[in-house]
Amino acid sequence: MAQTSVMDKLVSLCKRRGFVFQSSEIYGGLGSVWDYGPLGVELKRNIKDRWWHAMVRARDDIEGLDAAILMHPKVWEASGHVAGFTDPLIDCKTCKARFRADQVGDAACPQKPSKHPGEHTTCALTEPRMFNLMFKTVMGPVEESGSVVYLRPETAQGIYINYLNVLQSSRQKIPFGIAQIGKAFRNEITPGNFIFRTREFEQMEMQFFVKPGDDTEWFERWRGLRMAWHQELGLNPDKLRWHPHVESELAHYARAAYDIEYEFPFGWNEIEGIHNRGDFDLSNHQKASGKKLEYFDQAANTRYLPNVVETSAGADRITLTVLADAFREEEVEGETRAVLGFLPSVAPIKAAVLPLVNKDAMPEMATELFNDIRKKFSCFYDDGGAIGRRYRRMDEVGTPFCITIDGQTATDQTVTVRHRDSMAQDRIAIDAVTRYLSERLV
Ligand code: GAP
């Protein structure tokens, strides 16, 4: 498959089959904002649930949190985002286009013929100016007298400002972590590549609070755990790699950082960042709020400001990663079969129930089975069209199992289970279907 066409095919499949739609499409769309359709919302929720389970439910040392999007504006002054969360921008006075100063060499001038900004004689580029990526709004009934608040550009700050509340209410001891999943907003200058870089997105972030001096060890430990999580999600290990940040790449809060990158059809790109944030955030919030944020270590009878190791992944970006990694096309009996080969546990539909024909009590038996297994799994009932077409429709949305009720079912109470990837079929007892699926949906 040509590299460029893979993304075109994926975007088209996502729209056609109800994974992702452009936001406000009937009004011409809103730039780099996307909506999740019936299958997309299930897929993304399954990914978020997997993350939540691994980070919160399966561990004794991490607590969950759901902080508000809107926070006191001083949070963003203390965090350094008001001053430092900026991109350098260049405007063209002729065509009014705007480019990131560090990407002019890759950008296209809107004037024809196609050239880079600055290469036409009529181009009039300004000096770079810093542009803050935070969205602002006004809180209060009167715009003029209301106070400016920001839509959070990362969920992490909601964790820092609640660190003492969580510590005291949960009776945790350091080392411990706080995890949350939530929306974040960035007025990105060069968004794109479908849901890869958007202006509204969801983050799955965890801040792990450790004793100063233990940060490097925990940083390495979390690097290992997070890479393992992506591999267990079924992603091709050959398409995952580390990108260590050199000094000039480090975010304003980071002492050290590694990105986990995935090889998308449009190249290697970050899907998660692991950051050693030291005590940057807690010390700034302590200073700005005037509230002591130190931890009292009872055993050692000492107080200190914890260091923080952060793991920060984008739920939308990982959804795109899962889609891109799962998508394939194969030739089967002279036809092209499109498949989303998801890990069964993240597939939006786990099983389809298909009566072979709409007669001879097959629909009744199929409906009974469907009502039974839907109590436990997300299922789909399909009685429309030739069985081969129905299998293909399920392959295209990544359904791992198709259960067919046929002429034999009435006589021996068995059904066929057809596997998405191998297309092989097993014959099993109808009353064994739930157990059969439970064993395989991992
Ligand atoms: N709290 C640290 C932080 O926000 P980041 O590297 O800026 O670090 C972390 O972002 C992750 O959030 C990225 O690896 C990516 O998965 C996701 N992310 C960041 N900006 C995004 C955007 N504009 N659209 C979609 N996902 C984004």
Side-chain angles (χ1 to χ4, degrees):
M1 281 187 280
Q3 294 295 289
T4 46
S5 74
V6 174
M7 277 311 286
D8 291 345
K9 285 176 184 173
L10 193 57
V11 173
S12 150
L13 186 157
C14 282
K15 177 168 182 199
R16 192 162 33 82
R17 299 306 311 271
F19 282 91
V20 180
F21 310 124
Q22 177 152 39
S23 165
S24 317
E25 192 182 0
I26 60 168
Y27 291 101
L30 181 66
S32 287
V33 186
W34 299 88
D35 299 336
Y36 286 79
L39 296 186
V41 69
E42 291 285 344
L43 176 64
K44 187 170 154 189
R45 181 163 297 166
N46 292 339
I47 292 168
K48 289 189 289 184
D49 284 351
R50 232 182 132 78
W51 184 89
W52 191 259
H53 183 81
M55 300 298 275
V56 181
R57 298 236 168 104
R59 297 186 63 106
D60 295 329
D61 57 356
I62 300 187
E63 303 288 337
L65 179 75
D66 185 8
I69 289 172
L70 299 177
M71 285 176 249
H72 197 290
K74 284 192 177 155
V75 169
W76 304 109
E77 286 169 25
S79 70
H81 283 80
V82 170
F85 196 54
T86 49
D87 275 344
L89 280 197
I90 286 180
D91 288 302
C92 177
K93 289 183 181 159
T94 310
C95 64
K96 311 291 178 220
R98 193 165 249 202
F99 313 97
R100 260 180 63 167
D102 52 347
Q103 293 175 355
V104 165
D106 298 325
C109 172
Q111 297 187 76
K112 296 286 169 246
S114 181
K115 288 187 180 183
H116 295 307
E119 290 179 357
H120 286 284
T121 48
T122 49
C123 288
L125 301 184
T126 62
E127 287 300 309
R129 286 178 304 138
M130 295 316 266
F131 172 83
N132 197 293
L133 301 184
M134 285 195 292
F135 281 100
K136 273 185 202 166
T137 187
V138 176
M139 192 145 147
V142 185
E143 191 160 340
E144 292 72 37
S145 61
S147 55
V148 167
V149 288
Y150 299 95
L151 301 187
R152 65 182 177 199
E154 63 168 10
T155 59
Q157 297 303 325
I159 293 181
Y160 298 131
I161 60 172
N162 275 294
Y163 135 82
L164 273 190
N165 288 334
V166 176
L167 181 70
Q168 285 156 5
S169 58
S170 65
R171 302 170 62 87
Q172 284 281 0
K173 287 191 171 54
I174 275 180
F176 86 105
I178 305 176
Q180 84 166 323
I181 299 178
K183 290 271 187 179
F185 303 82
R186 295 183 189 177
N187 198 0
E188 299 278 5
I189 310 311
T190 48
N193 283 324
F194 194 33
I195 53 172
F196 177 81
R197 181 171 286 110
T198 55
R199 295 193 165 105
E200 173 177 341
F201 55 98
E202 259 183 299
Q203 287 188 313
M204 308 188 288
E205 294 200 306
M206 190 281 302
Q207 315 296 315
F208 204 75
F209 300 86
V210 304
K211 195 172 159 194
D214 290 352
D215 47 315
T216 307
E217 187 193 326
W218 276 104
F219 181 62
E220 289 307 319
R221 203 178 289 185
W222 276 110
R223 284 208 309 123
L225 288 169
R226 293 308 304 150
M227 183 59 102
W229 185 85
H230 288 281
Q231 289 171 354
E232 283 158 19
L233 191 57
L235 300 180
N236 179 352
D238 295 338
K239 293 191 167 200
L240 289 167
R241 74 175 186 193
W242 287 109
H243 169 74
H245 281 214
V246 295
E247 190 75 29
S248 58
E249 287 175 285
L250 286 176
H252 62 273
Y253 49 72
R255 257 183 207 174
Y258 271 80
D259 292 339
I260 296 177
E261 292 190 336
Y262 178 80
E263 189 179 20
F264 289 96
F266 47 87
W268 287 97
N269 276 285
E270 171 191 349
I271 57 173
E272 170 156 0
I274 324 291
H275 310 125
N276 181 346
R277 293 177 76 133
D279 67 1
F280 178 89
D281 301 271
L282 289 185
S283 68
N284 284 345
H285 285 307
Q286 179 166 268
K287 231 178 285 157
S289 66
K291 172 125 179 129
K292 277 251 167 287
L293 297 179
E294 285 174 340
Y295 174 75
F296 178 58
D297 184 336
Q298 265 179 330
N301 197 26
T302 51
R303 287 179 191 280
Y304 58 80
L305 211 51
N307 281 190
V308 172
V309 174
E310 169 183 69
T311 71
S312 176
D316 310 83
R317 204 172 277 188
I318 291 172
T319 302
L320 178 63
T321 313
V322 166
L323 281 161
D325 200 70
F327 180 69
R328 63 176 193 269
E329 286 182 327
E330 313 169 331
E331 285 299 307
V332 178
E333 291 164 7
E335 277 189 27
T336 303
R337 169 175 105 115
V339 186
L340 283 172
F342 298 132
L343 186 74
S345 66
V346 297
I349 301 171
K350 308 290 190 248
V353 178
L354 319 170
L356 186 62
V357 288
N358 281 316
K359 57 180 187 183
D360 301 335
M362 289 183 216
E364 290 77 9
M365 286 186 286
T367 306
E368 197 182 326
L369 176 64
F370 175 66
N371 285 332
D372 192 29
I373 57 177
R374 76 190 308 190
K375 289 180 197 142
K376 207 155 169 209
F377 309 109
S378 106
C379 296
F380 186 72
Y381 185 91
D382 188 1
D383 61 2
I387 192 75
R389 290 263 153 257
R390 281 184 269 167
Y391 286 152
R392 292 286 181 276
R393 287 201 290 263
M394 286 295 108
D395 294 341
E396 199 185 33
V397 298
T399 306
F401 304 104
C402 287
I403 299 152
T404 304
I405 282 61
D406 58 16
Q408 204 179 314
T409 308
T411 54
D412 65 3
Q413 281 73 53
T414 62
V415 293
T416 62
V417 181
R418 185 248 189 203
H419 297 247
R420 175 196 65 204
D421 297 325
S422 64
M423 294 182 282
Q425 299 193 12
D426 294 336
R427 191 142 205 123
I428 64 167
I430 200 164
D431 58 10
V433 170
T434 304
R435 184 161 36 89
Y436 184 96
L437 294 177
S438 303
E439 285 165 5
R440 286 160 182 81
L441 287 168
V442 286

